[in-house]
């Protein structure tokens, strides 16, 4: 019998352990529970190292008590036990590290915007916490067949949110394309969280020149803060600059303004 390995992640330990116990009663399910994002990441990494990877991750949408969308997804692999990892950030992190893993988000209530965020992060399903065990098992088995599961009442709202997100992305991409190559490079540094001095050192520019580039970036993107510029860049698919030592930049590039 092929067994399904499931990891339940919820910071309400009673719920996590109760759900794990209920799922464990199924003859083809092996299940464990984790009480935080960092704990879940350690469990996933340990299981992968031992050659017994998990198949499905059930994660609380409200993990860490943080509303998805309020802040960008964090590099979850760098957080400690006390670090906050919200549900959407965890989805993003694990799907990037373990593409084979299927993720189902467990939610207290239906929310089209948050469900759309979960799907964009790589989740395969959105299920109410109070759904029946048979329904949850059906979703778990379905996502392993590459199915996407959403409550019927959410479909219209989620499609609307995804359509709006595509529209915003298209507009964001158009604005980013208006930047010069150097301005795009500066923007990627901003996405990486580098301040003016760090950008100047990395690109071998003066702080004054970097300040001018940053002002030009904000102006062309039509925003008034670095945070807004970073959010727009992420919508356009602009990733952070690789934070390798600046000395690895080719010498012939150092004179470019």
């Amino acid at each position: 019998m092929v067994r399904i390995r499931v990891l339940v992640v919820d910071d309400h330990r009673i719920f996590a352990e109760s759900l794990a116990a209920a799922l464990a009663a199924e003859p083809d399910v092996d299940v464990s529970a984790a009480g935080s994002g960092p704990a879940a990441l350690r469990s996933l990494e340990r299981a992968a190292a031992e050659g017994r990877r998990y198949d499905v991750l059930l994660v609380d949408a409200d993990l860490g008590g943080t509303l998805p969308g309020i802040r960008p997804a964090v590099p979850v692999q760098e957080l400690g036990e006390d670090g906050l990892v919200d549900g959407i950030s965890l989805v993003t992190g694990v799907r990037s590290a373990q593409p084979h893993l299927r993720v189902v988000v467990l939610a207290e209530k239906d929310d089209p915007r948050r469900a759309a965020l979960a799907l964009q992060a790589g989740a395969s399903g959105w299920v109410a916490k109070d759904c029946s065990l048979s329904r949850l098992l059906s979703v778990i088995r379905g996502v392993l067949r590459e199915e996407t599961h959403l409550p019927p009442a959410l479909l219209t709202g989620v499609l609307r949110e995804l359509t709006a997100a595509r529209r915003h992305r298209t507009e964001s991409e158009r604005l980013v394309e208006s930047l010069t190559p150097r301005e795009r490079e500066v923007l990627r540094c901003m996405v990486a969280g580098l301040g003016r001095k760090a950008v100047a050192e990395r690109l071998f520019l003066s702080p004054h020149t970097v300040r001018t580039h940053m002002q030009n970036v904000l102006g062309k993107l039509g925003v008034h803060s670095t945070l807004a510029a970073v959010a727009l860049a992420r919508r356009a698919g602009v990733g952070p600059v690789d934070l390798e030592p600046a000395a690895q930049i080719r010498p012939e590039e150092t004179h470019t303004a």
Side-chain angles (χ1 to χ4, degrees):
M1 177 187 299
V2 177
R3 302 184 68 81
I4 304 170
R5 300 205 69 228
V6 178
L7 179 62
V8 180
V9 188
D10 197 303
D11 46 16
H12 293 86
R13 184 161 294 279
I14 293 178
F15 174 84
E17 293 180 352
S18 297
L19 179 56
L23 291 171
E26 295 295 312
D28 63 339
V29 177
D30 286 330
V31 60
S32 301
S36 70
L41 291 169
R42 287 195 297 273
S43 294
L44 291 169
E45 291 169 359
R46 185 167 54 250
E50 295 173 355
R52 49 184 189 87
R53 299 188 303 182
Y54 286 97
D55 302 302
V56 179
L57 183 73
L58 303 180
V59 58
D60 178 20
D62 297 321
L63 187 69
T66 304
L67 291 176
I70 298 303
R71 61 186 176 91
V74 296
V76 289
Q77 69 276 11
E78 297 179 3
L79 291 179
E81 180 62 49
D82 295 330
L84 283 178
V85 181
D86 64 72
I88 303 303
S89 291
L90 182 60
V91 174
T92 302
V94 299
R95 286 288 291 155
S96 174
Q98 300 190 25
H100 74 282
L101 186 67
R102 296 294 172 259
V103 183
V104 176
V105 176
L106 305 176
E108 292 282 357
K109 61 180 181 179
D110 287 343
D111 183 328
R113 184 182 71 87
R114 298 179 69 192
L117 285 171
L119 293 181
Q120 288 174 312
S124 297
W126 176 281
V127 180
K129 280 190 172 183
D130 60 358
C131 75
S132 66
L133 183 61
S134 61
R135 164 64 180 162
L136 181 57
L137 286 166
S138 175
V139 171
I140 289 172
R141 295 186 171 105
V143 298
L144 289 175
R145 296 192 296 268
E146 305 296 330
E147 298 172 359
T148 299
H149 284 258
L150 285 171
L154 274 183
L155 287 177
T156 299
V158 168
L159 287 175
R160 185 184 302 115
E161 292 288 338
L162 293 175
T163 299
R166 279 197 300 271
R167 185 166 58 249
H168 289 315
R169 180 182 177 91
T170 301
E171 174 64 13
S172 299
E173 289 173 341
R174 184 186 67 78
L175 291 171
V176 169
E177 287 173 358
S178 72
L179 302 178
T180 66
R182 177 60 87 188
E183 288 165 352
R184 282 197 290 272
E185 193 172 12
V186 169
L187 178 59
R188 292 185 63 213
C189 289
M190 294 163 67
V191 173
L194 299 181
R196 187 187 309 166
K197 181 179 179 181
V199 176
E201 292 176 352
R202 178 180 179 81
L203 301 182
F204 297 94
L205 301 172
S206 71
H208 175 74
T209 299
V210 171
R211 181 173 181 270
T212 299
H213 283 315
M214 286 184 167
Q215 289 176 336
N216 290 341
V217 168
L218 297 184
K220 290 183 178 181
L221 297 184
V223 297
H224 301 287
S225 70
T226 298
L227 286 177
V230 169
L232 187 150
R234 288 189 177 278
R235 285 200 300 272
V238 176
V241 70
D242 184 13
L243 295 179
E244 61 185 5
Q248 293 183 19
I249 297 176
R250 292 181 300 173
E252 62 267 26
E253 295 177 346
T254 63
H255 67 278
T256 306

